[in-house]
Every structure is written in structure tokens, then in C-alpha cells.
Amino acid sequence: MGLLAIGTPLEWPEAKKHVDHVREWGIEQLLAIWRRAKGKERDVLLWGDEVEYLVVAVEDSDRDVKLSLRQADILESLARDEGLRNQGGCVPDLQLVARVADPPPIFHPEFGRFMLEATPGKPWGIGFKDLLDVEHNMKWRRIIAKEHMVSNEYPITLTTFPRLGTKNAICPSFPVSGERLRSQFLPDEIANPHIRFPTLAANIRSRRGRKVEINVPIFKDENTASPFKDPTVDYDLHKWPEDDDVRNGAAKDDHIYMDAMAFGMGSCCLQITFQAKNITEGRRLYDQLSPLGPIMLALTAATPIYKGFLADTDVRWDQISRAVDDRTPEELGEVPLKNDRWRVPKSRYASNSTYISQDPRLRKEYMDPELTVDEDLKKRLIEGGMDDLLATHFAHLFIRDPIVIFAEDLRELDLNKTDHFENLQSTNWQHMRFKPPPPDKDTGWRVEFRPMEIQITDYENAAFSVFIVLVTRAILSFDLNFYIPIPLTTENMHTAHARNAVLDRKFFFRNDPLPPRPIRLNNGSASVSGTTIPTCHPSRPPTPPTPVGPVEDEYSLMTIDEIINGQPHDTGFPGLIPLVESYLNSMNVDVETRCELARYLDLIRKRASGQLWTGAKWIREFVRTHAEYQGDSVVGPGLCYDLVRAVEEITRLEGKEGGLGKEMFRAESK
């Protein structure tokens, strides 16, 4: 969750007068961080995961399920729990949380009043014992959350509630078309009441000059109308000026139409944050993980339903991107520039547009030719001692306006705080985030991996978390190189949205991630599919040469299966799992630990090969084979109830003994 502050928020017409002021102060705070922390060293890598829950209220007697808007009550119950208080506390927004040896999980509010975020009570280390504790900790979090809900409420890990935006989908109920969201489908009360959230939604709409416009392609089943015209749209609503949007064509044929920030920021995801040993390692991880984002997005696909309709997409990313897109018609290129400074190619929630590592393998041909940068701010950063690459990165982020400005924060610049910097940093929601150390904590340079979809079970979420951690270890140990041109990663992110992209689409990926010559440290090497993989000491990687030759020869289109499991020929891509297994071989991991880690790698291996289904495929097939489904793309209330009940069962049983969801966990033997 982004920056939370308390104060008097400015509505957009007034806030707009101060955006340059906030940007300039944000740059000065960034330079203060840079001067303090550029030489900061950490001895070990730490990491953490963030799991987000939907809170649903189930009424079995009526076969009904709704989103429960009791986030605040649940957090207060957690904060009042004497046992949890004695362990140090678990709700930092409501209580002082003490540092103890074995703390309980931490719970935070999220944008939607029906959401909870949970993290481990302290960061994970790189030790293999920590990796094996993740799943247990995730299960513990869910148990604690459930214990502080009423008896018919459940914390489930679906990316979106299937009928969010339909009538009678939330409890308690409120009228739609409030002053902040001005949505046809959602009330203002859907959002967290903290003043930042409704102000963020209102100011995005106001800056944009119209409501956000989210159109998701409808899944065309045998009885789906063609053309499909979203039957939930009210073309006769005349309460706010923005109600003209739909009469001006905002709702597209053959698409599910949504009109509010909550349709995106009400989505749940799985995020992983890594603390690097220093800024150099952090920048390297940022770059090398970036091309993996679309691959992991497609592999974790879990979002085939919006607003009570089956969609022809499987993931959430572009929907969130549109839900917070504050670009004006000039910035979108719809009309010539007159009042705005530049055309902006992407929403502020988008794939990365920069590389930042001072890696000799980083070629200028990999950079985004459409990158927009505030040259004046970049110049100030360079004058302050920052190198060109990192200055370019932050000067790109700072082309955005700060959306929520508190009047109290404009009084004086405090270089021991980061409020103005975080105002911009925390509202640039790219699929990777590079996070400087906060001034008041013993924390290092961090990298946040943001694209993955939340999974139904804690087992799956632990598997994907552990996998990404092991990939980072392989990157650093083997000095891997995943660079491809940034526009190809952008294209891959769009490709990942296709229905069943994990099996049916190909993605641009680097052909050869390995160093050009074997480097034998740690007494040996490992072999993957006939390819020699050097084992390198992660603290002293060799200096790789700058690549030569046509960039186009460095990458090709591959399936997810080829990227995860490797290509069969000796000269092909070795595969992420074989690379991870070679890293584990080099570490002499004990047999018991290897067996436990193999459970996770096997899940990912088989999801990539198609032997196991993604969550998106399972949900889609559950709907299409349900007795109440009419083949018309509609997910009705009773079907939604049965789906949520099935998800709750899968959360507990994980498809065991031939139960629901087995297609996601156990391959049929041949």
C-alpha cells in the first residue's frame, strides 16, 4: 500500500497550483537520501511478501455472497487482541508494533474497504529454513484474519470479486454515484475512508477531465450477444457532468465497461520486496527481474471475471492501469499539446520504462525510445551527484503530477523526511519499483516485484514467492543476463493478458542468459540441458563484457514452458527452473530441504507446461460447466456464491483426495 498521511488534502484545482513545488521538494528529499545512503552496505539479503485478501460475507440460506466493508472493524479487533498485543502487536496503523524475536504477522488497510493486506512480522532471510517457513506463515496469517471476522466472513485470495459493480454486491449497501467516484456502479463508501483514498480517486478523475475508462473484452460464448452491449450501463443518468462519458462513447461494444478507480485498486495481488546488500546489487536486480514480469503475470493468471461477466482476458494488470490513468486528452495524444508539457505514452500504473544498473552489458539499444523525462529535474539530480542512469529513472517518474497534496506539507521542506518524494514515488505503480532507504529505519536499498496475481491457496502463493527468491539468487550467483529492449517487455505485458496466454502465446525473451565464458569459483560448475552453468560467488561477480552484434540476435519469441522449463536443444534457453536447480546444487542443500522446495518448483514447472491449470482457467471452466450458466458470459449471483464457496474449500483442502480444484495442483497420471 502507498504512502498514508494525515492532514488537509487539496482538491485538484487547488492542488494543481502546487505540483511543481512538491516535485522540486521531492527531488531535494531524494538527493538527501542519495547523499546519506548511496554507500550503505548490508551484509545479507532480506525479503518480504505481501498477500492481499478480499473479505466476503456468505449467507448460505440465501445462496448469496457479498463483499464485506468491515475492514476497519477487523483491524480494530486485531489491534485489541491481547494475545497479539503481548506478542508485539500486528496493526501498525492503530498501535505501536514492538520489535520482538518471533512477531505475529502485520496487517494493513488497503484501498478497498473490503480488503486486507498481510505481511510477515519480520523480513525473511535468505536461509533455506526461512523459505520453508513461508507457507506456514501465510496459513497463519489467514487463520488470524479469520479469527477476527464474524462467523460468516472469510478472507479469500481472489484477485477480484466476480460481481464487484453489480447490484447487491456489498454489505452494507450504499447508493452509487457519490461525489468522489461519481461511478454508475460503485458507491464512494467502497473505498477506505482514510482521506488519502477518496481524494486520490477524485483528483485522478478531476485531473483527467472525465471518469476513468475501463473496457475489458467480453468472452464470446455460444449464447453471448454479438455485438455485446454492456446491459448494466445507464445512459440516462444525469447527476454529474461526467455522466456524459457513456453518451460520448466511453462504453465500447463487445466490452465490459467500468468507470471507477476501485475496479482496479480493489484487486488483490502477490508482491515480493527484496533488500539488496547495496545500491549496486539493488539496481542489478531491478534490471534483471524486469523482463521476468510479464512471464510471471501470465503464469499466475487468475482474473477471468469482471462485474459479473466472463472476460476474454486472464489477468488484472491493464484494468488497474486504466483505473488510475489520470492522463489528460493532450497527454494521451487525442488533441494537440497546448496546456500540458508532453505526451505521456503510459498510465502511471504500467510496465517499467527504464533500466538503471551500471552494468556494462546494458546497451543503449535496450532503452525505451519513447521515454519522457523532465530534463530540468534530471539536471538537478546530476548536479547533486547522481549518475545519469538513475537520474533519468527518477526524472521520468517525476513527469507525473502529485495527486494528493496536504496543505500542511507545503509549509517547509524537511530533508529528514520523504513525504514529497514518496508522494510521487508511491503513485508510480510500475511492475518493478526501486525503493531508497527510508531515513528513520535501518533498511537498505530495496526492489519490489509487483506483477504477480494472487493465488487461491497459501501453498501456491508460497510457491511463487519462493521461486522468485530463488531466481534472484541464481541471477546473482551465475551473473545472469536477461536484458531485452524495454519496448519488448511492454509488448510482453500486453501479450500476458490474452486468454490462456500461458500456453497459447509466445513472449520475447533473451536467448542466452549465461556469461560468455565459464568462471570457476566455489570449486565447480553445474550442467543444465547440456549447457555448462558456472557457479560464481555472488559477492564477487566477474565483470562481463559489453555485448556486440545486432540486438535482434539476442532474443527470440518463446513459450512460457520454454522460458520456465528450458528448450530441448543444447544451444537453447536453459530454463529458469533448471537455473534455479543448478543454484541449489551449488549450495549443497540437504535432501529434506530439496524435497520441500521441489514441491514448489514442480507446481511452477507444471503450470508452465500446461499439466496444471492456472487459476484463471479453473475459474473459467467452473463457470462454463456450472448448471446455472447459460452460455451467455453472465456470472449470476447464485453462480458467484458457488464459486466463492468452492474457492473457500480449495483454500482449505488444496484439491486433495480428488476435491475441487485438483486440476490446479495434481496432474493426471498417464
Side-chain angles (χ1 to χ4, degrees):
M1 188 179 62
L3 176 71
L4 286 185
I6 298 174
T8 308
L10 304 179
E11 295 187 0
W12 182 247
E14 183 62 24
K16 186 177 180 180
K17 301 173 185 177
H18 303 282
V19 293
D20 289 334
H21 181 180
V22 172
R23 260 194 295 264
E24 290 166 5
W25 279 11
I27 289 294
E28 295 307 315
Q29 287 180 338
L30 173 58
L31 283 172
I33 297 168
W34 170 258
R35 287 189 288 267
R36 284 193 300 264
K38 62 182 177 180
K40 188 177 182 68
E41 293 281 344
R42 304 291 299 181
D43 293 329
V44 294
L45 178 140
L46 299 174
W47 67 280
D49 66 87
E50 298 176 22
V51 173
E52 294 169 344
Y53 306 100
L54 302 176
V55 181
V56 295
V58 177
E59 295 294 342
D60 291 319
S61 59
D62 299 327
R63 287 189 66 240
D64 189 33
V65 60
K66 294 180 171 66
L67 285 171
S68 171
L69 305 189
R70 290 198 331 106
Q71 175 196 88
D73 297 327
I74 295 166
L75 290 172
E76 287 174 6
S77 177
L78 286 161
R80 288 195 305 267
D81 187 303
E82 185 175 353
L84 293 173
R85 284 206 311 268
N86 291 339
Q87 295 178 62
C90 66
V91 188
D93 294 87
L94 299 177
Q95 62 188 157
L96 290 175
V97 173
R99 287 191 175 187
V100 295
D102 189 20
I106 297 296
F107 293 89
H108 295 281
E110 260 294 344
F111 177 87
R113 203 179 291 193
F114 50 85
M115 301 172 73
L116 290 175
E117 176 190 295
T119 63
K122 63 179 180 180
W124 300 112
I126 191 52
F128 292 107
K129 180 183 182 300
D130 278 10
L131 295 182
L132 300 185
D133 285 344
V134 172
E135 182 179 350
H136 171 76
N137 188 273
M138 288 181 173
K139 291 179 186 293
W140 186 30
R141 290 176 228 172
R142 197 187 297 259
I143 289 169
I144 291 174
K146 172 63 178 135
E147 288 174 344
H148 293 81
M149 299 177 183
V150 298
S151 61
N152 70 324
E153 289 178 334
Y154 298 88
I156 64 171
T157 42
L158 287 176
T159 47
T160 61
F161 184 67
R163 289 182 55 80
L164 177 65
T166 63
K167 292 181 179 179
N168 302 315
I170 61 173
C171 62
S173 180
F174 297 93
V176 300
S177 196
E179 181 180 7
R180 292 292 189 171
L181 297 183
R182 303 190 180 182
S183 170
Q184 285 199 12
F185 312 108
L186 297 174
D188 285 359
E189 290 80 4
I190 200 86
N192 184 315
H194 186 287
I195 193 61
R196 176 180 185 258
F197 294 106
T199 303
L200 183 64
N203 284 0
I204 284 175
R205 172 182 48 76
S206 183
R207 186 187 188 281
R208 178 181 167 85
R210 51 191 169 180
K211 289 189 289 186
V212 296
E213 183 179 310
I214 310 163
N215 282 284
V216 184
I218 190 75
F219 172 70
K220 289 292 190 73
D221 215 336
E222 57 184 9
N223 296 325
T224 307
S226 188
F228 171 85
K229 295 181 181 292
D230 190 331
T232 66
V233 176
D234 184 355
Y235 289 91
D236 296 320
L237 186 63
H238 293 273
K239 184 174 181 180
W240 305 104
E242 293 88 347
D243 292 332
D244 286 339
D245 289 357
V246 294
R247 290 182 283 276
N248 293 329
K252 310 298 184 187
D253 284 357
D254 292 324
H255 286 75
I256 307 157
Y257 171 69
M258 294 166 282
D259 66 350
M261 181 176 172
F263 283 111
M265 287 305 198
S267 303
C268 297
C269 66
L270 172 67
Q271 295 178 178
I272 312 296
T273 299
F274 302 96
Q275 178 180 266
K277 68 175 184 179
N278 55 32
I279 188 173
T280 301
E281 185 175 274
R283 292 169 73 164
R284 186 175 168 202
L285 284 175
Y286 177 94
D287 281 13
Q288 296 304 325
L289 288 173
S290 183
L292 302 185
I295 311 309
M296 299 309 296
L297 177 62
L299 190 57
T300 57
T303 319
I305 305 174
Y306 277 98
K307 213 181 65 175
F309 298 104
L310 281 176
D312 204 31
T313 56
D314 271 2
V315 300
R316 79 201 187 285
W317 190 267
D318 280 353
Q319 283 66 267
I320 309 178
S321 176
R322 298 181 187 112
V324 295
D325 192 353
D326 68 332
R327 289 176 295 172
T328 67
E330 291 181 22
E331 290 169 333
L332 286 163
E334 296 175 350
V335 297
L337 286 172
K338 182 179 179 181
N339 300 309
D340 294 312
R341 295 184 292 171
W342 35 57
R343 192 182 77 81
V344 181
K346 295 179 181 179
S347 167
R348 61 198 305 150
Y349 196 114
S351 58
N352 286 11
S353 295
T354 57
Y355 287 131
I356 62 174
S357 177
Q358 293 175 305
D359 187 328
R361 300 172 298 186
L362 175 56
R363 304 174 65 170
K364 67 179 186 302
E365 294 94 334
Y366 302 155
M367 307 306 261
D368 188 348
E370 292 191 338
L371 187 70
T372 305
V373 173
D374 188 318
E375 294 294 345
D376 291 338
L377 296 183
K378 178 181 175 180
K379 180 181 178 183
R380 174 69 189 105
L381 289 170
I382 291 174
E383 289 172 349
M386 191 175 289
D387 60 89
D388 185 87
L389 268 176
L390 202 55
T392 298
H393 168 76
F394 285 115
H396 166 66
L397 298 185
F398 273 57
I399 67 172
R400 311 289 178 178
D401 283 343
I403 297 298
V404 180
I405 298 175
F406 292 97
E408 293 81 0
D409 293 339
L410 298 174
R411 294 170 183 166
E412 62 178 342
L413 173 61
D414 187 344
L415 294 180
N416 292 313
K417 295 174 65 177
T418 60
D419 51 342
H420 299 294
F421 167 70
E422 287 293 346
N423 197 331
L424 275 300
Q425 164 92 343
S426 68
T427 55
N428 272 276
W429 297 281
Q430 297 187 345
H431 83 272
M432 297 291 303
R433 182 177 280 160
F434 186 63
K435 304 173 76 169
D440 57 342
K441 295 180 181 178
D442 184 24
T443 304
W445 294 88
R446 292 151 297 149
V447 174
E448 190 174 60
F449 188 75
R450 300 170 46 81
M452 292 191 292
E453 307 249 293
I454 197 74
Q455 305 295 287
I456 292 174
T457 69
D458 299 306
Y459 162 54
E460 297 166 275
N461 288 316
F464 283 106
S465 300
V466 168
F467 176 62
I468 286 296
V469 173
L470 292 174
V471 168
T472 66
R473 298 301 86 202
I475 287 171
L476 297 176
S477 294
F478 297 152
D479 201 25
L480 299 179
N481 176 10
F482 293 126
Y483 277 125
I484 60 172
I486 285 172
L488 298 185
T489 297
T490 301
E491 184 174 339
N492 282 347
M493 286 293 281
H494 294 304
T495 300
H497 286 72
R499 177 163 45 91
N500 209 32
V502 66
L503 298 182
D504 297 344
R505 297 300 176 97
K506 290 188 175 184
F507 296 77
F508 292 103
F509 212 72
R510 190 173 187 87
N511 295 321
D512 184 4
L514 301 172
R517 58 185 180 275
I519 299 156
R520 292 179 181 267
L521 302 174
N522 287 354
N523 301 316
S525 62
S527 178
V528 173
S529 301
T531 302
T532 298
I533 299 184
T535 31
C536 309
H537 194 289
S539 66
R540 294 197 308 274
T543 301
T546 301
V548 295
V551 169
E552 294 77 12
D553 293 344
E554 297 177 2
Y555 58 84
S556 59
L557 285 166
M558 302 182 199
T559 64
I560 298 285
D561 187 23
E562 291 172 326
I563 294 168
I564 296 296
N565 294 318
Q567 295 175 319
H569 44 88
D570 289 350
T571 58
F573 183 75
L576 295 179
I577 285 182
L579 287 166
V580 163
E581 289 176 330
S582 292
Y583 164 72
L584 294 173
N585 290 341
S586 75
M587 298 300 291
N588 297 315
V589 182
D590 66 87
V591 173
E592 183 178 356
T593 299
R594 283 297 294 267
C595 288
E596 287 297 308
L597 294 176
R599 292 175 55 237
Y600 299 143
L601 297 181
D602 194 54
L603 175 79
I604 290 159
R605 177 185 291 112
K606 290 176 178 176
R607 288 275 175 97
S609 70
Q611 291 173 271
L612 297 179
W613 292 6
T614 63
K617 182 173 181 178
W618 184 85
I619 293 169
R620 190 182 300 278
E621 290 305 308
F622 181 92
V623 170
R624 297 188 71 203
T625 57
H626 193 277
E628 294 182 12
Y629 181 63
Q630 301 297 309
D632 55 1
S633 309
V634 175
V635 181
L639 203 167
C640 181
Y641 164 83
D642 287 345
L643 174 59
V644 169
R645 266 305 189 195
V647 164
E648 199 277 326
E649 177 183 318
I650 292 168
T651 301
R652 290 184 288 108
L653 302 181
E654 298 172 352
K656 294 172 183 172
E657 300 178 3
L660 285 170
K662 62 182 184 299
E663 300 89 348
M664 293 185 283
F665 305 103
R666 286 161 190 84
E668 294 289 336
S669 58
K670 296 182 180 179

